[in-house]
Amino acid sequence: MKSGIEIIENPIFKIIGEASDFLGLESYVVGGFVRDSLLARECKDIDIVCLGSGIGLAEEVAKRFNLSEQSVSIFKNFGTAMLKVDDWDLEFVGARKESYQRDSRKPLVLEGSLEDDQNRRDFTINALAVSVNNDTWGTLLDPFGGIDDLQAKIIRTPLEPGITFSDDPLRMMRAVRFATQLGFDIFPETFEALTTEKDRLSIISMERISEELNKIILSDRPSYGFLLLDACQILPIIFPEFMKLKGVDTEEGKGHKDNFYHTLQVLDNISKNTNDLWWRWAAILHDIAKPQTKKFVQQKGWTFHGHEEIGARQVPTIFKRFKLPLNEKMKLVQKLVRLHLRPIALSKEEITDSALRRLLFEAGDELEALMTLCRADITSKNGDKVKKYLRNFDTVEGKLREVEASDSLRSFQPVFSGEVIMDVFDMGPGKEVGLIKIAIREAILDGLIRNDFASGWDFMISEGLKLGLKPVKSLDQMIS
Ligand code: ATP
Ligand code: MG
């Protein structure tokens, strides 16, 4: 493992040390930076604690980097100051002591010693500090055995876990988040306290909970975090819909797969192929409506008819509760949930160009995400089966690409726009324009005409005539 001196080899620390000595302050780099440095993980945030004014230290450091006064962001209420040096984010704070009240995660803050400051930190591995003053340069302070826990890969609270979690229940989500990001175990007593204190999460805002959940989702193996949240009984509190996926019913000796574990495997699978949070959310939600749609049908077995559509409609409710953005990201997740069976269905039947065109049209720019989700959705334990399904997808994808190349449907911009239709029939906006547009789109998707003037002209004219409209322009006039 790195020594204290190696942890602070970045020249930035020399400057911070000099500024501290100049002001007569003891200063330390603490928390995430020290932890990540020892784990050889990238970390661009540097937290500095000093015995005195963090704001004053930040201003002195800024001076030494020739930064203007405005480049220091000061948060007077918190006694903190931040500044950027190159691509490093530095945060300065005076050492503090905290005391908590029962109904809030916002503590009363008093000045304190370094020891007080380390005591208020959430986990032993986050309480490591390295001195940057000249005469104690590189001394590593590890009051709670954080180095041992890093080596043993353990998440443990420095003080009594029940009190630590009850004081600031967000730390429970952080415990699971760090365990998942780092692939660590949670120390047994710490883990027990997650269960006993779980109801305290009610004083935490959903935004903060989702922020941690999203970090779990963005880790290399998110299933681990979900399994921990399930084991300590936090998952039902924050994500009841997901819990409903759990369990297997049996009828006439036939069971279905456990959709809880299936979904987690799909999530892990897709995480190997994308770091996009929303693609990963689509994996989490793709089967979310299976519990409501589950039915045992004689001779057929278990069915989940319509779960993709009902699931897609459930997405906004779930996003709203998690305070996730209700924007085009949510629409992407909805689209993926809605379409997740389509490529599979295609690979099972005789593939018609029309079906391919419709899928291309509906998936639009999300085709790659959809195919990535579908591949992740194959969770059979039978390797031969998996290979066969993946080959089928290759076939579907190849054909999609062929149709795409000839029809350019993905960026489907009908050449017969509303303006063109109004121009040709010399009319203003109205119901007829929409009707003609839909008819043309359907004809293109069915392969009756192509998406160009020459091919679709006669079709458009005849649709207009059916509605009693008369064309005032010819094809030649329109393309000249
Ligand atoms: P990351 O930046 O990856 O989230 P981090 O450990 O740097 O990890 P931050 O939230 O940036 O986490 O916090 C910096 C440090 O502040 C932590 O290492 C920890 O010592 C302390 N800390 C943060 N949040 C809490 C909390 N809720 N309770 C106690 N200590 C905390
Ligand atoms: Mg940090």
Side-chain angles (χ1 to χ4, degrees):
M1 258 214 200
K2 276 188 191 170
S3 66
I5 290 177
E6 286 167 323
I7 291 171
I8 53 172
E9 68 187 0
N10 185 325
I12 289 176
F13 293 113
K14 256 274 140 23
I15 309 275
I16 298 171
E18 283 163 11
S20 305
D21 288 336
F22 175 76
L23 297 173
L25 296 173
E26 266 182 49
S27 298
Y28 304 86
V29 50
V30 289
F33 182 86
V34 181
R35 177 199 68 222
D36 287 342
S37 168
L38 290 168
L39 291 171
R41 293 176 91 227
E42 199 192 33
C43 179
K44 290 285 172 197
D45 297 339
I46 299 177
D47 292 301
I48 302 289
V49 168
C50 66
L51 301 190
S53 163
I55 296 173
L57 177 58
E59 285 167 342
E60 182 60 32
V61 170
K63 230 188 266 171
R64 286 162 190 261
F65 279 108
N66 292 320
L67 298 171
S68 67
E69 261 176 50
Q70 291 88 310
S71 60
V72 185
S73 326
I74 295 174
F75 304 90
K76 262 229 163 75
N77 295 344
F78 299 96
T80 64
M82 303 209 307
L83 60 93
K84 248 180 130 54
V85 176
D86 302 330
D87 54 346
W88 299 91
D89 285 306
L90 313 187
E91 183 168 340
F92 297 83
V93 64
R96 52 170 71 184
K97 193 177 181 156
E98 293 179 343
S99 58
Y100 285 85
Q101 291 135 312
R102 187 101 190 122
D103 55 346
S104 161
R105 66 174 290 264
K106 296 201 178 68
L108 285 170
V109 178
L110 300 168
E111 251 180 60
S113 62
L114 178 72
E115 200 187 355
D116 291 329
D117 199 277
Q118 284 176 299
N119 280 337
R120 75 174 175 88
R121 305 225 162 228
D122 48 5
F123 305 111
T124 61
I125 60 167
N126 286 348
L128 299 162
V130 178
S131 168
V132 295
N133 292 96
N134 189 44
D135 54 357
T136 48
W137 180 253
T139 307
L140 190 120
L141 301 166
D142 177 17
F144 307 112
I147 299 272
D148 289 345
D149 285 347
L150 271 184
Q151 268 161 341
K153 296 176 173 269
I154 285 174
I155 303 295
R156 181 203 322 241
T157 58
L159 306 177
E160 210 276 303
I163 295 170
T164 306
F165 291 151
S166 176
D167 276 353
D168 178 1
L170 183 68
R171 293 169 180 160
M172 295 191 268
M173 289 301 295
R174 285 172 60 90
V176 175
R177 187 258 286 191
F178 284 118
T180 312
Q181 283 180 327
L182 305 175
F184 280 25
D185 288 321
I186 299 177
F187 190 67
E189 279 166 34
T190 302
F191 187 83
E192 264 170 47
L194 290 177
T195 308
T196 53
E197 300 302 322
K198 61 180 189 298
D199 295 324
R200 293 282 295 151
L201 274 175
S202 60
I203 67 163
I204 303 294
S205 75
M206 209 55 193
E207 285 89 345
R208 305 302 298 271
I209 292 176
S210 312
E211 200 182 314
E212 295 300 325
L213 185 64
N214 281 342
K215 288 184 179 177
I216 291 170
I217 294 168
L218 283 172
S219 66
D220 290 344
R221 194 159 59 90
S223 65
Y224 179 49
F226 277 82
L227 293 173
L228 285 173
L229 289 172
D230 179 34
C232 68
Q233 298 165 34
I234 286 178
L235 198 56
I237 296 175
I238 62 173
F239 203 169
E241 299 89 343
F242 197 82
M243 292 306 296
K244 292 209 187 100
L245 292 168
K246 207 173 191 180
V248 178
D249 281 341
T250 310
E251 289 274 351
E252 300 177 3
K254 278 196 207 162
H256 57 79
K257 67 184 163 209
D258 187 317
N259 289 302
F260 181 89
Y261 296 102
H262 163 70
T263 297
L264 290 181
Q265 202 189 327
V266 177
L267 176 58
D268 281 354
N269 286 350
I270 203 168
S271 300
K272 288 185 196 119
N273 294 314
T274 180
N275 290 322
D276 188 298
L277 178 63
W278 309 109
W279 294 22
R280 292 184 181 201
W281 262 106
I284 293 168
L285 297 178
H286 79 287
D287 278 347
I288 201 70
K290 272 198 169 174
Q292 308 83 299
T293 54
K294 176 156 72 179
K295 220 185 207 159
F296 186 79
V297 182
Q298 301 271 319
Q299 263 113 43
K300 210 169 159 200
W302 290 100
T303 64
F304 303 89
H305 191 69
H307 75 273
E308 66 282 17
E309 182 56 39
I310 294 171
R313 286 186 213 155
Q314 233 178 311
V315 171
T317 317
I318 293 172
F319 266 50
K320 229 178 249 165
R321 213 195 45 251
F322 277 115
K323 298 276 189 326
L324 294 170
L326 305 174
N327 57 13
E328 74 282 357
K329 296 301 178 192
M330 182 190 82
K331 294 219 177 91
L332 159 68
V333 173
Q334 272 191 298
K335 189 187 262 192
L336 294 176
V337 173
R338 178 172 288 123
L339 296 179
H340 82 270
L341 293 178
R342 292 280 288 279
I344 303 172
L346 270 184
S347 72
K348 280 184 184 152
E349 55 200 50
E350 194 65 38
I351 314 179
T352 63
D353 279 4
S354 155
L356 290 166
R357 266 189 228 105
R358 277 176 194 281
L359 181 57
L360 274 172
F361 174 67
E362 284 176 57
D365 288 338
E366 268 61 84
L367 186 68
E368 192 196 340
L370 181 63
M371 295 309 287
T372 308
L373 174 61
C374 289
R375 288 201 162 86
D377 198 10
I378 304 170
T379 60
S380 167
K381 291 203 176 61
N382 178 337
D384 289 340
K385 258 194 186 166
V386 172
K387 272 194 206 124
K388 192 182 101 192
Y389 290 146
L390 287 176
R391 264 203 312 275
N392 288 348
F393 275 137
D394 290 339
T395 312
V396 171
E397 221 176 351
K399 296 205 170 169
L400 282 169
R401 246 182 263 120
E402 281 168 31
V403 173
E404 153 78 5
S406 65
D407 293 14
S408 60
L409 276 164
R410 246 168 109 171
S411 50
F412 185 73
Q413 292 297 343
V415 298
F416 298 97
S417 64
E419 288 78 54
V420 167
I421 295 166
M422 289 188 279
D423 199 10
V424 170
F425 293 104
D426 188 26
M427 61 174 175
K431 198 174 82 193
E432 286 84 0
V433 182
L435 288 172
I436 297 174
K437 262 169 77 173
I438 290 171
I440 293 173
R441 185 190 73 205
E442 290 300 300
I444 293 173
L445 292 174
D446 285 336
L448 297 174
I449 56 174
R450 282 194 320 276
N451 186 22
D452 62 62
F453 265 150
S455 163
W457 184 264
D458 290 347
F459 183 87
M460 175 184 64
I461 298 299
S462 76
E463 285 303 305
L465 290 173
K466 271 192 228 162
L467 294 168
L469 302 168
K470 286 217 172 65
V472 297
K473 295 246 168 97
S474 68
L475 175 59
D476 288 343
Q477 277 173 304
M478 288 302 288
I479 51 185
S480 64

